[in-house]
Amino acid sequence: MSFIDLSEQEVIRRQALDEIRQLGIDPYPAESFPVNVSTEEIKRNFSEAEKNYQDVSIAGRLMGKRIMGSASFAEIQDGKGRIQIYIKRDDISPDEDATLYNTVFKKLLDIGDFIGVKGYVFITRMGEITVHATEIKLLSKSLKPLPVVKEKDGVIYDAVRDPEFRYRQRYVDLVVNPGVRDIFIKRTRMIDSLRNHFNSCGYLEVETPVLQPIPGGAAARPFVTHHNTLDTPLYLRIANELYLKRLIVGGFEGVYEFSKDFRNEGMDRMHNPEFTVLEIYVAYRDYLWMMDFVEDMIEKVTLDLHGTTRITYGNHIIDFKKPFMRMTMTDSIRQYAGVDITGLDEDQLRAVCGKLDIATDLTMGKGKLIDRIFGEKVEPNLIQPVFIMDYPVSMSPLCKKHRNNPELTERFELIVNTKELCNAYSELNDPLDQRERFQEQLKLSEKGDDEAMYIDQDFLRALEYGMPPAAGLGVGIDRLAMIMTNQPGIQDVLFFPQMRPERETHADSREVLIRAGIPEEWHPVLTKLGYNTMEQIGNVKNPGKMHQELCGYNKKNKLQLQNPSLDDVKRWITCCTT
């Protein structure tokens, strides 16, 4: 990469890198730097009376410098926080050669560089805990400048808020927005809480295939790939349900998995093509038992993270203290949509959607029509945790029929703040009934529903060997993390959410510009100044200004090109116009 492709700051940093190397300093040393304490531990435990931490060794990013002659202050940020550093010339450069302080520290170290500091801790006259440096070492030179973020007394000013930048360059977001790190720390603690709860119950954590010959366990559009050796299509899993239930067939009585699932569908603040799901299956249990289990699980997570069951999410205070409200799907639609869907067939449901101004299409069967009514007329009203239970059979192809009403299934969803958080069943273990349900899904697929389930013949074979009654649960971990960390979108709780490709600036080819009479050596300069195409050059209204920009850039960046004359620039513009 040539300097012409870099910003002014990037050029300056590369020049500093060269000067550091000329001084015999390795800007990327191989040897380890011994760290014996974190900034957080120093701030939490330092006692001026005890004079502890008199031999500390810390490392992190240089986040600020205040040059003050023969002594200066700086700020270093490690994985736990920030702390002030006091650097005195005579301490880090005890010999007559003061290069390390006067040149390296004052002139060649930049914000964002990683440094190691050894010294002792004291409190300044302003009352700030500070590390008095007796040794500093460059550990890694940063070649790109960090966004400028100001902090005073723990308050962040000019925070980086652009979501395009934050999600695409999360590594920078984590550096300049410390609160972002706290979100992901809480996410990990949340998963730890769930895992500890399941393990305490004696359930086994397992792993199942990500590449599957049949994308089963959910109604969703899969990602498709091809295995060359087997010469067969494979699918990134949309769910791990059918494999976990195979393990219940095999004799395990309680299994769970935190899995990455993939669905080739839309993207918005609630959906990412790659997402994390917890699924758990317990033998000899039903969906009523699972509702009690979910209440215990969610209440525990909330207490572990916040110390209370009442948390803020957006504009609402949500209380996860058990028990949660319970309501059948039919009752919820009757209450919020004013319609009784009991016994309605597909045509009647489509007519109901028309009266309610709910858009439908001919590929939708009964299940999707009911789901559309529920999604548009019921869900927006559900803020506090509520179990919506007893779904129609047409909506639940993997769920056992209700013990009291064969038109319904033993299924519930936990809805929080208008969105589904959990989905659970009394699992269907009748192989003949399951085969009929899959056949119904096949009819929907032939009708044009590209989210209808595939028939998994091996899973049906497993059921024919016998599966005990069981309860199963799926939890959207990303959505749970959004609620537990008060974040508005799924992208805020994923380190690296899926993004559209970065837009590339279109530029005309070298041959096109040469035909217009523009010397090849000036092509990169024109691009750097924003003149990427003949059309942009031909639209220039002020040739003098363009001439000054070219000559100024040449001089400032020491390119040593022969400057064009004003007449040359006018000729370029004319040639690009014709």
Side-chain angles (χ1 to χ4, degrees), residues 406-529:
E407 296 297 316
L408 303 177
T409 58
E410 297 200 344
R411 172 186 177 186
F412 72 82
E413 289 184 327
L414 175 61
I415 310 294
V416 180
N417 198 55
T418 77
K419 298 298 180 183
E420 170 203 343
L421 191 60
C422 304
N423 188 22
Y425 315 148
S426 293
E427 297 297 334
L428 177 57
N429 60 342
D430 179 343
L432 301 180
D433 189 2
Q434 182 65 83
R435 186 176 294 277
E436 290 179 8
R437 306 273 195 98
F438 278 151
Q439 292 291 348
E440 288 299 317
Q441 289 291 303
L442 180 60
K443 292 177 183 177
L444 290 174
S445 178
E446 292 170 348
K447 191 176 178 180
D449 186 346
D450 59 3
E451 292 184 351
M453 288 189 186
Y454 290 60
I455 298 180
D456 189 332
Q457 297 292 349
D458 180 69
F459 175 66
L460 291 172
R461 178 170 58 190
L463 285 185
E464 290 174 352
Y465 280 100
M467 185 179 92
L473 168 73
V475 181
I477 291 297
D478 306 315
R479 291 189 181 181
L480 182 59
M482 287 168 56
I483 292 172
M484 290 297 161
T485 60
N486 192 18
Q487 296 303 307
I490 192 172
Q491 293 81 7
D492 297 294
V493 296
L494 300 176
F495 271 128
F496 303 106
Q498 195 68 40
M499 302 287 289
R500 296 185 185 278
E502 291 187 75
R503 293 180 180 178
E504 295 185 3
T505 302
H506 169 70
D508 284 337
S509 67
R510 178 173 62 91
E511 290 76 13
V512 169
L513 295 179
I514 288 176
R515 286 200 299 271
I518 302 174
E520 185 175 355
E521 64 268 21
W522 282 100
H523 296 176
V525 180
L526 288 165
T527 299
K528 190 67 180 177
L529 293 174

Side-chain angles (χ1 to χ4, degrees), residues 268-284:
D268 55 35
R269 71 179 191 87
M270 299 300 295
H271 298 89
N272 191 68
E274 174 184 355
F275 56 99
T276 304
V277 174
L278 159 73
E279 291 200 34
I280 181 168
Y281 295 83
V282 183
Y284 313 115

Side-chain angles (χ1 to χ4, degrees), residues 212-224:
Q212 301 180 352
I214 296 291
R221 185 185 303 122
F223 287 95
V224 187

